[in-house]
Amino acid sequence: MIKKIYLFCALLLIQSSLHAQDVSALTGTVRDNNGVSITAATVHILNTNYSISTNSKGDFNFVNVPFGKYSIQVTATGYAASIKNIIVNNNIAHVDLKLNASNKQLDEVVVTAQKSAENIANVPLSITTISANQIEAYGIRNIRDIRTIIPNLYAGNPGDGRNVVSVRGMVSTSYDPAIATYVDGVNQFGLDTYISDLLDVDRIEVLRGPQGTLYGRNAMGGVINIITKQPNNTTSGFAGIDAGSFGQQRYTLGLRTPLIKDKLFFGATGMYNVQSGIYVNEFTDARFDKFKGIMGSYFLKYLVNDKLSMILNVKHNANRNNGAFPLVGSMDTAFENPFKVNQDATTQMVDNLINASFSVNYLTHRIHISSQTAYQSNYRYYKTPIDGDFSPLDIVSIQNNFGKDWNKVQVLSQEFKFSSPTALESRFNWTAGLYGFYQYSPTKQGTHYGEDAGLFGSPIINFTDLATHTAKSMGVATYAQLGYTITTQLSATAGFRYDYEHKKLHGFDEIIMDGMQPSPTPDFESGLKSYHAFSPKVSLKYQPLAYSNWFASYNKGFRAGGINQTSSESLQFVTYKPENSNSFEIGTKNTFFKERLRVNAAVFYTSVNNAQVPTLILPEAITVTKNAGKLRSKGAELEISAIPVKGLSIDYNLGFTDAKYTDLKLGKEEDVLNLDNNRQVFTPDYTSMLALQYAYDLSALEDIKLVGRAEWAATGKQYFDLENKLEQKAYDLFNAKFGISLKKLDFFVWGRNLGNKIYADYAYDFGATHLGTPRTYGVSISTKF
């Protein structure tokens, strides 16, 4: 099958090369509002390999640009990004481009939400973009930091670095996420294999609502699309130091440079991150959650010619956490004695991640073809057993350090994408693709019952229940999306995706008594299951005015099914069905006052069938997923960005979500628990963020600024268990920063959670609770060159 796909791609390349097309040189000049030329501005023709920096006179020159329609993006330090539509033909050979200062105008934003670069205002779905400047302004260091910045998005952290994310009531509560995360086009696949730390990021795109057509499995609630910065013909770099409360230290360094001008480009970034611990372990009278991590990212891009490019992207992350589960047994205990644990077993979590991809892009006047091959691995284990009862008693401990053959998750994926060319002058635009993956997840975990287990009814003590299994998954998918411009004001989009997945769980259990040899290895037992899904979408976009867009859409979402091992004493396998949703949305996007005010709003309704509900079985620490019922989620969102006066920026968002189970029954037939009308877990009923920033010029050249910033983040009431007994009431957090910004150097002092609010960030359904970060202060110094 793979050979046939490669042969098909080769034939398309040969056919495309046989056709010639008229071309022209395209020159231009970039100036500011006063007519002054802008040096080192980046000019990029979207969805092509054409990208260049302006010279000392603000001029640029592209050669052999095929005739057609294009969108040009222009960016420069200190200026608002601009997008301009042009037509290249015999009559157009020169364009004048103007940029306004960033303190007077909002950026025009480019996104790749529909797998091609386009103006965010033209995308008929709810999407929020956080730029590189905003990432620095908010102090975003991890994916979970975007919560409340994005309407109706929540991210909780149980302490081990794996984020549980919800959007519009769709929650990633199992190892098959409901929110897909992509980094540089690579699906981060599961809770174990994605890198959540952020470094040298160009932008973060958050798509809300099901995105099954283009992104496939596990995009029930949306997609978090992270795009890192790429090197070009200009050598640039950065370095930064952050230091704060609880021993926080973060060191970053990066370099991007051309190795061969216009041909070969290289980029490398690195980060060292350390924290001395927020929690104190009363059992040892020492800091508990000490942490350190090293992250690196390497980028190599080769432009063979104007049509063909190749990109190698490698990332790695090595984390060491001496207190991965800073938990106490109940929420009441967590609030009564905050940031204190009392655990007799302490261990270090070793977490090593690798994420690599190789991409090839071939662009002709008839078709665009791209291929991306990706590999991900995560080797995570705990050096000594974990305290499974979170107490000073020796009741239950969990061990999984059995060598590299176990607890190492690996994923291999391949995607081929075909799309209509950028320059094509047609009412139609289209995208189609093929996708495949293979995942291997071996696990070996021992549940040890210690000396104190007898106090709680265990008939025997000092034995280990050892569970061993390997999970293998593979899947293939095909997708297509077609856009059609009906009139100058009205356009439509329709698409579909077909997914097929096959899963196999293969394992055994054995009992090992202390001081005795383990019993002979029993035979493996297996569970097998296959799934398929069809995910269509339809949308309409209406543009009554140049600065206003309205859209309506229907999307179907899909989350893969799976196989449970339901007992550690007698090996049994029970499958659960895929989860699917139907979602409807109406929204509007508007800009006013020459890009100084942007207002976006949307309302949505989603119904979910075969809702997957995970339940933790204690003391074995086995998570079982069941299809428990039906969920209904509805709500509204508002986003406002404005620059009312020079230097003052205002960003405000508000989201409401009403997510309830219309049908939820748990338990056995003789003891059914009716949870109809209960709220969805990890879903605040509202989120809100207000950010105010003012920059005051200290020099006539506007290259020295005093900057002050204040943020108010509000999170509504939410529950952490399906019975809605573990409740976190609504709370507010206040953040601030103040400093000086020079042309190449920034210095800031900052404070987060200034009111020192104590709140539950995450809680397991049996009550174990992790609190959110308390009040912290710090300083940040960074330079760019």
Side-chain angles (χ1 to χ4, degrees):
M1 179 65 180
I2 298 296
K3 290 182 178 180
K4 292 181 179 179
I5 294 173
Y6 276 112
L7 179 60
F8 173 70
C9 295
L11 291 174
L12 286 174
L13 296 178
I14 294 171
Q15 182 184 26
S16 299
S17 65
L18 296 177
H19 295 271
Q21 187 182 24
D22 292 332
V23 296
S24 172
L26 176 64
T27 63
T29 304
V30 181
R31 299 184 176 92
D32 65 14
N33 262 336
N34 298 318
V36 178
S37 300
I38 300 176
T39 303
T42 299
V43 183
H44 174 54
I45 303 179
L46 298 184
N47 301 304
T48 74
N49 290 326
Y50 294 101
S51 183
I52 199 170
S53 296
T54 57
N55 60 21
S56 59
K57 297 180 180 180
D59 296 329
F60 63 90
N61 180 25
F62 294 115
V63 297
N64 298 327
V65 179
F67 287 1
K69 293 182 178 180
Y70 297 95
S71 292
I72 293 183
Q73 181 191 33
V74 188
T75 58
T77 303
Y79 295 90
S82 176
I83 303 171
K84 183 175 181 178
N85 297 323
I86 65 167
I87 297 176
V88 176
N89 55 37
N90 285 324
N91 299 320
I92 298 180
H94 185 87
V95 292
D96 289 315
L97 302 172
K98 183 186 294 185
L99 293 182
N100 292 319
S102 58
N103 58 7
K104 298 179 181 179
Q105 179 181 308
L106 297 168
D107 288 327
E108 292 187 87
V109 179
V110 169
V111 296
T112 53
Q114 298 191 112
K115 299 206 172 185
S116 63
E118 57 188 319
N119 192 328
I120 190 173
N122 297 328
V123 182
L125 59 89
S126 292
I127 176 172
T128 300
T129 298
I130 306 174
S131 68
N133 289 336
Q134 290 175 312
I135 290 170
E136 287 304 313
Y138 281 111
I140 298 172
R141 300 291 180 257
N142 189 285
I143 292 175
R144 62 177 170 270
D145 295 334
I146 68 175
R147 70 181 187 185
T148 67
I149 297 174
I150 308 298
N152 287 325
L153 184 147
Y154 179 81
N157 173 26
D160 65 348
R162 291 183 289 193
N163 301 325
V164 174
V165 182
S166 73
V167 175
R168 293 181 172 180
M170 305 298 109
V171 184
S172 296
T173 53
S174 67
Y175 282 84
D176 279 315
I179 316 301
T181 300
Y182 280 73
V183 179
D184 290 333
V186 179
N187 185 354
Q188 300 302 284
F189 226 82
L191 294 181
D192 282 327
T193 54
Y194 81 99
I195 297 177
S196 59
D197 289 318
L198 300 175
L199 178 64
D200 201 29
V201 174
D202 182 67
R203 66 184 184 275
I204 303 172
E205 305 171 1
V206 181
L207 292 64
R208 300 186 296 280
Q211 307 298 325
T213 298
L214 291 179
Y215 292 93
R217 67 192 309 276
N218 302 342
M220 287 275 295
V223 172
I224 300 173
N225 197 16
I226 300 166
I227 297 95
T228 60
K229 295 180 180 179
Q230 295 188 14
N232 53 33
N233 273 326
T234 302
T235 297
S236 62
F238 67 91
I241 300 175
D242 299 271
S245 309
F246 305 106
Q248 294 181 61
Q249 298 176 57
R250 185 177 187 264
Y251 304 89
T252 58
L253 182 67
L255 175 69
R256 296 182 293 272
T257 186
L259 299 179
I260 302 174
K261 187 178 180 181
D262 297 326
K263 281 292 182 181
L264 187 63
F265 311 91
F266 173 75
T269 58
M271 177 185 70
Y272 176 71
N273 191 20
V274 64
Q275 178 179 280
S276 62
I278 297 175
Y279 277 76
V280 172
N281 188 357
E282 295 180 317
F283 190 86
T284 60
D285 194 29
R287 289 288 177 181
F288 182 73
D289 51 334
K290 296 180 181 179
F291 171 90
K292 62 180 179 180
I294 298 175
M295 180 179 177
S297 180
Y298 315 97
F299 193 101
L300 192 65
K301 181 176 182 178
Y302 178 43
L303 292 181
V304 182
N305 51 48
D306 292 337
K307 296 182 176 62
L308 181 63
S309 65
M310 301 178 184
I311 299 173
L312 177 64
N313 197 330
V314 179
K315 297 177 174 64
H316 66 84
N317 200 358
N319 297 317
R320 304 294 182 265
N321 193 333
N322 288 346
F325 293 98
L327 302 167
V328 295
S330 71
M331 185 175 287
D332 289 339
T333 303
F335 281 96
E336 291 168 2
N337 197 17
F339 306 106
K340 302 289 181 60
V341 298
N342 196 349
Q343 299 183 16
D344 65 317
T346 58
T347 184
Q348 183 184 77
M349 181 188 77
V350 177
D351 192 20
N352 296 314
L353 300 102
I354 296 176
N355 194 323
S357 66
F358 178 68
S359 302
V360 179
N361 297 284
Y362 188 75
L363 316 176
T364 77
H365 66 283
R366 289 183 175 271
I367 190 172
H368 286 184
I369 303 172
S370 66
S371 166
Q372 185 179 69
T373 306
Y375 170 78
Q376 302 167 60
S377 75
N378 173 225
Y379 179 37
R380 175 189 294 235
Y381 67 93
Y382 299 86
K383 287 187 174 181
T384 56
I386 308 166
D387 193 330
D389 50 76
F390 313 117
S391 79
L393 298 176
D394 182 17
I395 304 172
V396 178
S397 57
I398 310 297
Q399 61 184 30
N400 72 346
N401 186 4
F402 296 100
K404 284 192 174 182
D405 290 338
W406 302 100
N407 304 101
K408 183 177 181 180
V409 178
Q410 299 180 80
V411 180
L412 181 65
S413 62
Q414 173 67 54
E415 181 172 14
F416 295 100
K417 181 172 72 73
F418 313 93
S419 60
S420 54
T422 302
L424 183 66
E425 297 189 53
S426 171
R427 289 177 176 267
F428 290 96
N429 63 82
W430 56 270
T431 299
L434 301 169
Y435 177 79
F437 74 89
Y438 173 79
Q439 181 183 35
Y440 177 65
S441 305
T443 300
K444 196 170 188 177
Q445 178 171 295
T447 305
H448 180 77
Y449 299 85
E451 293 286 348
D452 296 319
L455 300 175
F456 295 86
S458 178
I460 54 176
I461 60 175
N462 291 329
F463 76 95
T464 300
D465 183 2
L466 186 63
T468 306
H469 66 260
T470 59
K472 298 178 181 179
S473 302
M474 62 79 62
V476 294
T478 181
Y479 62 87
Q481 179 171 292
L482 176 66
Y484 179 66
T485 302
I486 302 171
T487 68
T488 56
Q489 295 179 315
L490 183 65
S491 61
T493 302
F496 72 89
R497 184 186 187 100
Y498 177 78
D499 284 271
Y500 170 82
E501 292 194 24
H502 177 76
K503 292 191 174 185
K504 181 178 182 180
L505 186 63
H506 193 58
F508 69 85
D509 288 270
E510 58 183 318
I511 301 297
I512 302 175
M513 300 300 299
D514 283 7
M516 299 178 59
Q517 293 294 324
S519 58
T521 302
D523 294 333
F524 274 84
E525 299 291 341
S526 297
L528 301 171
K529 190 64 178 178
S530 297
Y531 307 92
H532 63 90
F534 181 73
S535 304
K537 68 171 289 185
V538 178
S539 66
L540 285 173
K541 184 185 69 174
Y542 177 61
Q543 187 174 3
L545 301 169
Y547 53 81
S548 180
N549 276 313
W550 291 77
F551 65 89
S553 66
Y554 162 76
N555 288 273
K556 188 176 181 65
F558 161 65
R559 177 154 57 166
I563 306 171
N564 289 312
Q565 178 181 326
T566 61
S567 172
S568 61
E569 296 179 357
S570 59
L571 194 66
Q572 299 177 18
F573 296 103
V574 175
T575 62
Y576 55 94
K577 299 177 182 179
E579 186 179 75
N580 57 79
S581 67
N582 293 286
S583 183
F584 303 86
E585 180 179 15
I586 298 175
T588 180
K589 301 179 181 182
N590 308 272
T591 57
F592 306 99
F593 308 115
K594 297 182 179 180
E595 297 287 343
R596 299 182 70 134
L597 173 64
R598 183 175 297 128
V599 180
N600 301 333
V603 294
F604 63 89
Y605 178 90
T606 302
S607 62
V608 180
N609 295 316
N610 294 320
Q612 295 177 7
V613 177
T615 303
L616 183 66
I617 298 178
L618 294 177
E620 296 94 336
I622 296 175
T623 299
V624 174
T625 302
K626 301 178 180 179
N627 296 109
K630 298 180 180 180
L631 176 73
R632 181 266 301 147
S633 179
K634 58 183 179 180
E637 295 162 351
L638 173 67
E639 296 177 286
I640 300 174
S641 295
I643 301 180
V645 296
K646 178 183 176 181
L648 176 62
S649 63
I650 301 173
D651 292 288
Y652 177 70
N653 78 67
L654 176 65
F656 289 99
T657 300
D658 178 19
K660 293 182 179 179
Y661 284 95
T662 58
D663 180 13
L664 181 58
K665 308 292 192 301
L666 296 180
K668 299 179 180 180
E669 293 183 2
E670 62 273 14
D671 188 22
V672 173
L673 184 62
N674 190 333
L675 301 179
D676 292 357
N677 296 316
N678 275 23
R679 292 283 306 276
Q680 171 69 303
V681 296
F682 299 101
T683 303
D685 51 15
Y686 67 86
T687 64
S688 177
M689 169 65 83
L690 173 63
L692 305 174
Q693 180 168 305
Y694 183 71
Y696 178 75
D697 294 319
L698 293 178
S699 72
L701 297 177
E702 299 185 358
D703 55 359
I704 304 177
K705 303 175 187 293
L706 280 179
V707 181
R709 183 179 179 87
E711 299 168 3
W712 166 54
T715 303
K717 182 175 68 175
Q718 64 175 311
Y719 297 96
F720 298 109
D721 67 320
L722 292 172
E723 293 187 54
N724 288 179
K725 293 181 178 180
L726 299 175
E727 175 187 335
Q728 171 59 59
K729 298 184 184 299
Y731 60 92
D732 303 316
L733 301 178
F734 296 92
N735 310 319
K737 66 188 298 184
F738 178 79
I740 186 168
S741 178
L742 288 74
K743 189 173 184 179
K744 293 185 178 181
L745 180 68
D746 292 333
F747 175 83
F748 285 94
V749 295
W750 48 264
R752 303 187 67 82
N753 190 7
L754 294 176
N756 202 27
K757 178 67 179 180
I758 306 300
Y759 62 96
D761 186 51
Y762 184 95
Y764 288 91
D765 56 4
F766 59 91
T769 301
H770 180 228
L771 299 178
T773 304
R775 178 170 49 219
T776 56
Y777 299 102
V779 297
S780 297
I781 304 172
S782 62
T783 181
K784 299 177 182 178
F785 54 89

